[in-house]
Amino acid sequence: MTAARAWSARPFRWVWAASGLSLLGSEIGDLAIPLLALLTLDASPGEIASLRLAQFAPFLLLTLAFGVLVDRMGRRRLMITADLGRGLVLLTVAAAVLWWTLPVGWLVVAAFALGTLTVLYQLADFSFLPQVVPREALADANAKLSATQSAMSLAGNGAGGVAVQVLTAPFAILATAGSYLLSALLLRRVRVDDPAPVAEAGQPRGAWRQTREGIEFLVRDRVLRALAGEAGTWNLFNEILLLGLTLHVVRTFEYGAAALGGLLMVAGLGGFLGAWLSGHATRRFGYGRSLVATLAVGNTIPLALGLAQDGSVAALLLYAVVLTTSGFAVGLANAQAVTVRQLITPAPLRGRVNGAYRFVSWGMVAVGASLAGVVTTVWGPFAAILVGAAGTTVATLWIVFSPIPSLRDLTE
């Protein structure tokens, strides 16, 4: 498989461009919305945690149901609907902040709506990509999308931090809305067969029975189960770490919003490099060994954040090195894990199995947001950083005690 295979499919180029814009908007919004609440609406740590909980609660509440929906409807249509919906929600938020008074409670409602539409988009996107590129180009396509995701994280967090610092959060949110609307326009140009999947003979017809089929497939497969367990554990504790880091940096460092944006920007750079080199690492060392070694370093190094608590330049540089290294590990792991999941899962089950996977992995972000509010309120932001770093270290054990270390090729 060569790198040209994915690019040779014109529909993939449109999907790649739309995905890049959508991801850019997500990254700017993920930084701008909490900073809007913190700096403009004077929200408390508990309210910030509630905001994050509302944003990720749909991964717990709606992911399984949306998995069934994705397996019943055209995936491209669902992606366009989700992009248009997110753009309109953010336009409403920006207008309310600029011309009226926006209570934090209404921002929480908007965050829940954004999270709901993001769940729909991500589930449909996962199932739609195998319709856009041939099977042999799938790993290359996912590597490119993962590298783009990291690049957009790099650009989005940097741009978001600067925009909030210079232009204020409402204008950063307007930019986010525009990116979603442009993404929807690009997806309309994708010309591939996208029929609503037809139920196969013998396939369960009830929504709950179909949902259970996806859950059972995930639980039975040892590779999928390990990947979901690692992702869920990491997401839970990383959410605690992230809230602690956000509050600590904004309150401790000069030009706190810009400093936070810069730190998330270098983390995105690490993720970009990891995704870009993931194919080389797999060919050189094998998928399993490269993944275990990378996660052993990347999931453990956040413990080094506990070495500096002041607002000095040295502390900021230490944070940058730690987040870059951790980002590299996440970028490498994600690029290959998505392909493994797509290859293992039969096409008629992709929406439901991915829904079950997201329920476990991203649903833990909502749990982490709840715990983050408690930890930061009781013990303070720096304690949340330490608790989160300890938890991400444990996440690697899911991969160590699974069949994954013995895998050399993604298609095994």
Side-chain angles (χ1 to χ4, degrees):
M1 179 171 54
T2 63
R5 284 187 177 273
W7 288 125
S8 64
R10 185 176 182 182
F12 171 74
R13 297 198 294 271
W14 288 118
V15 171
W16 171 81
S19 177
L21 280 170
S22 184
L23 289 166
L24 178 64
S26 294
E27 294 298 335
I28 295 175
D30 284 349
L31 183 62
I33 289 177
L35 289 178
L36 170 68
L38 188 63
L39 301 176
T40 305
L41 305 181
D42 196 26
S44 67
E47 288 173 326
I48 297 294
S50 298
L51 191 63
R52 294 288 289 176
L53 175 61
Q55 186 176 354
F56 289 99
F59 286 92
L60 276 175
L61 301 176
L62 301 173
T63 297
L64 295 175
F66 281 0
V68 175
L69 182 66
V70 167
D71 280 343
R72 289 181 173 181
M73 298 184 63
R75 283 79 184 257
R76 184 180 71 105
R77 186 189 315 164
L78 292 175
M79 293 164 67
I80 292 173
T81 300
D83 268 340
L84 291 174
R86 288 187 291 183
L88 291 175
V89 168
L90 288 175
L91 286 175
T92 303
V93 169
V97 174
L98 290 172
W99 289 294
W100 300 287
T101 300
L102 179 68
V104 175
W106 284 105
L107 190 59
V108 170
V109 173
F112 183 85
L114 289 171
T116 298
L117 294 167
T118 296
V119 170
L120 183 61
Y121 182 95
Q122 291 183 354
L123 291 177
D125 181 45
F126 177 90
S127 299
F128 184 56
L129 185 62
Q131 299 172 216
V132 175
V133 297
R135 179 183 176 88
E136 62 271 15
L138 197 54
D140 180 56
N142 278 315
K144 284 180 168 56
L145 289 174
S146 294
T148 301
Q149 180 179 6
S150 298
M152 291 303 102
S153 176
L154 174 67
N157 285 313
V162 172
V164 171
Q165 191 75 52
V166 176
L167 300 176
T168 71
F171 290 98
I173 289 174
L174 280 175
T176 304
S179 70
Y180 285 138
L181 298 177
L182 286 175
S183 174
L185 291 176
L186 290 175
L187 285 172
R188 287 180 60 86
R189 300 183 66 88
V190 178
R191 295 290 182 264
V192 295
D193 291 334
D194 185 29
V198 179
E200 297 178 346
Q203 184 179 7
R205 294 180 177 274
W208 166 241
R209 293 179 65 190
Q210 290 185 350
T211 300
R212 189 176 63 187
E213 191 177 29
I215 297 172
E216 290 173 349
F217 190 93
L218 175 69
V219 172
R220 284 197 309 267
D221 191 282
R222 294 178 64 197
V223 172
L224 288 179
R225 189 171 66 233
L227 290 172
E230 190 278 335
T233 304
W234 189 90
N235 281 336
L236 188 154
F237 286 100
N238 184 67
E239 186 64 19
I240 298 174
L241 189 155
L242 184 60
L243 179 60
L245 186 70
T246 298
L247 295 172
H248 178 67
V249 170
V250 170
R251 292 175 177 178
T252 305
F253 290 89
E254 189 176 5
Y255 304 111
L260 179 63
L263 288 173
L264 297 177
M265 187 175 175
V266 298
L269 175 60
F272 173 79
L273 293 174
W276 187 265
L277 297 174
S278 60
H280 174 75
T282 299
R283 289 189 297 270
R284 177 67 179 83
F285 303 106
Y287 170 68
R289 286 193 295 177
S290 64
L291 184 66
V292 170
T294 305
L295 292 182
V297 175
N299 286 1
T300 304
I301 199 172
L303 289 170
L305 293 172
L307 298 176
Q309 189 173 355
D310 58 18
S312 65
V313 174
L316 192 62
L317 290 176
L318 172 66
Y319 288 7
V321 171
V322 169
L323 293 177
T324 302
T325 305
S326 182
F328 179 89
V330 174
L332 190 150
N334 286 347
Q336 305 295 19
V338 173
T339 304
V340 170
R341 288 159 49 206
Q342 288 170 332
L343 291 174
I344 288 176
T345 309
L349 284 172
R350 282 197 183 114
R352 283 164 286 164
V353 174
N354 190 38
Y357 182 94
R358 294 278 181 166
F359 176 80
V360 173
S361 60
W362 285 93
M364 289 299 101
V365 176
V367 177
S370 300
L371 295 176
V374 175
V375 174
T376 53
T377 301
V378 176
W379 293 296
F382 197 73
I385 293 175
L386 298 179
V387 171
T392 60
T393 301
V394 175
T396 310
L397 296 178
W398 283 95
I399 305 300
V400 172
F401 297 107
S402 78
I404 292 175
S406 64
L407 296 178
R408 284 200 56 82
D409 186 79
L410 285 174
T411 58
E412 287 184 12

